[in-house]
Amino acid sequence: MTSTLSQASASDSASASDAGSVSDGAGAPRRRFRRPRVAWLLLLAPVLAFDAVLFVTPLGKLVTASTQSDAYRRVLEDPLVSRSLLNTFEISALSTLATVVLGYLLAVVIWRRGPLARVVLFALVLLPFWTGVLVKNFAWAVLLQDNGLVNSALQGLGLTDAPLALLHNRFAVVLGMVHYLLPYAVFPIFAALAAIDDRLELAARSLGAGEASVFRRIILPLTVPGVSAAGLLVFIISTGFFITPVVLGGPGDMMIANQIDFYARQLTDFAGASALALLLTVLVSVLVTIYQRILRTGGHHEAG
């Protein structure tokens, strides 16, 4: 009996040692494929060098130039600068709101269509990228002028007795910016819509939910990340518009990019232009950080 127990224990220990050797053998390839951090840094070196040459170096020169000749004090005391900053954020906010709303509606229309219709609609959405921004702005100027197609159509239909002031004002600037920015809103929102499981909508309808209830309770909450990404992207791009306010706007609609150009080309004050550029960068970064914190806090509250 004792010999039998000893043989059993010996066989158990042998099988355990075999299992350990197998597990060690299975873990060996994972250890072989490990790479030291130095290797990853070497792989990232070209990208880091590229960023350093094209981003860090110009930014460093911009910071150096902005610290000369008391540039920050001069630009902050300029009333035109404060007006341009206010115009920038007002026009950017209006353009972002209009672009996200129109982009959401267009994304839903594309989402509800078949494959062929989607291709056609996506091609129409991408049309603004196929022409230069200057060409698009002059096209809008032709359409919105007093004897342009829009005013002629309104008067021909009897809706107006005289031409409306549609050009060289804030309405024209926002319209031109929305036309350019619309694809940047459509694609993130469509990506969020395409990720929704169709079974959720079918389940809601089987339980008696209507179209409005399905949209409010299922589609809209699940597309909030896409909407927030679209709004953030559109707002950041809109703060740097330069040509559109010049062609479509009036003297009171100039944005901060136009003021930077004025300092650099007309006044040849490169220190002031650098200070304005960095001031805009800091302000936009602060607003983006606040925006992201608000979204993150709202998401935590909804999860709780």
Side-chain angles (χ1 to χ4, degrees):
M1 183 68 178
T2 306
S3 61
T4 304
L5 292 175
S6 61
Q7 290 175 358
S9 61
S11 62
D12 291 340
S13 61
S15 61
S17 63
D18 292 340
S21 62
V22 172
S23 62
D24 291 341
R30 286 195 292 269
R31 288 196 296 268
R32 282 201 301 268
F33 283 106
R34 289 180 181 176
R35 294 290 185 269
R37 290 185 177 180
V38 177
W40 289 110
L41 291 177
L42 290 176
L43 290 174
L44 290 174
V47 178
L48 296 176
F50 184 81
D51 287 342
V53 172
L54 295 184
F55 179 74
V56 178
T57 302
L59 185 62
K61 292 183 178 180
L62 204 66
V63 172
T64 303
S66 66
T67 57
Q68 300 174 359
S69 304
D70 204 10
Y72 287 102
R73 183 186 61 79
R74 288 188 291 104
V75 298
L76 290 175
E77 291 178 354
D78 189 348
L80 293 178
V81 171
S82 59
R83 181 60 187 173
S84 298
L85 281 173
L86 183 61
N87 287 342
T88 298
F89 291 112
E90 287 180 353
I91 294 174
S92 298
L94 289 173
S95 301
T96 300
L97 179 62
T99 303
V100 170
V101 171
L102 292 176
Y104 198 102
L105 296 175
L106 186 55
V108 170
V109 171
I110 298 174
W111 178 52
R112 294 294 191 184
R113 294 298 179 268
L116 181 60
R118 284 183 181 181
V119 173
V120 176
L121 291 173
F122 274 133
L124 294 176
V125 171
L126 288 173
L127 272 177
F129 286 141
W130 297 350
T131 54
V133 61
L134 190 60
V135 175
K136 290 195 291 286
N137 287 328
F138 277 111
W140 277 115
V142 172
L143 292 173
L144 298 176
Q145 60 186 345
D146 291 345
N147 57 347
L149 181 62
V150 176
N151 273 312
S152 298
L154 292 176
Q155 294 179 56
L157 294 173
L159 299 177
T160 58
D161 297 329
L164 298 178
L166 302 177
L167 188 61
H168 301 308
N169 52 32
R170 186 154 300 187
F171 167 78
V173 176
V174 172
L175 183 62
M177 291 175 63
V178 170
H179 179 217
Y180 179 86
L181 294 168
L182 193 59
Y184 293 100
V186 171
F187 287 103
I189 297 174
F190 177 80
L193 288 168
I196 298 176
D197 193 342
D198 296 336
R199 293 174 296 181
L200 295 175
E201 187 175 354
L202 293 175
R205 293 186 185 281
S206 67
L207 295 174
E211 189 72 27
S213 180
V214 170
F215 176 78
R216 187 179 68 256
R217 294 175 178 269
I218 297 177
I219 297 177
L220 185 59
L222 292 176
T223 54
V224 167
V227 173
S228 61
L232 186 61
L233 181 62
V234 169
F235 181 80
I236 292 174
I237 296 174
S238 62
T239 55
F241 266 71
F242 169 73
I243 298 177
T244 302
V246 173
V247 177
L248 301 179
D253 300 310
M254 295 297 102
M255 299 175 67
I256 194 64
N258 307 111
Q259 198 70 25
I260 294 172
D261 175 73
F262 176 75
Y263 267 80
R265 291 200 307 123
Q266 303 296 327
L267 300 180
T268 60
D269 184 1
F270 298 107
S274 302
L276 281 177
L278 289 175
L279 184 63
L280 177 63
T281 302
V282 171
L283 290 176
V284 172
S285 300
V286 170
L287 290 176
V288 167
T289 303
I290 296 173
Y291 177 78
Q292 290 179 332
R293 284 186 175 274
I294 292 174
L295 291 178
R296 193 178 300 113
T297 303
H300 290 333
H301 287 324
E302 290 179 2

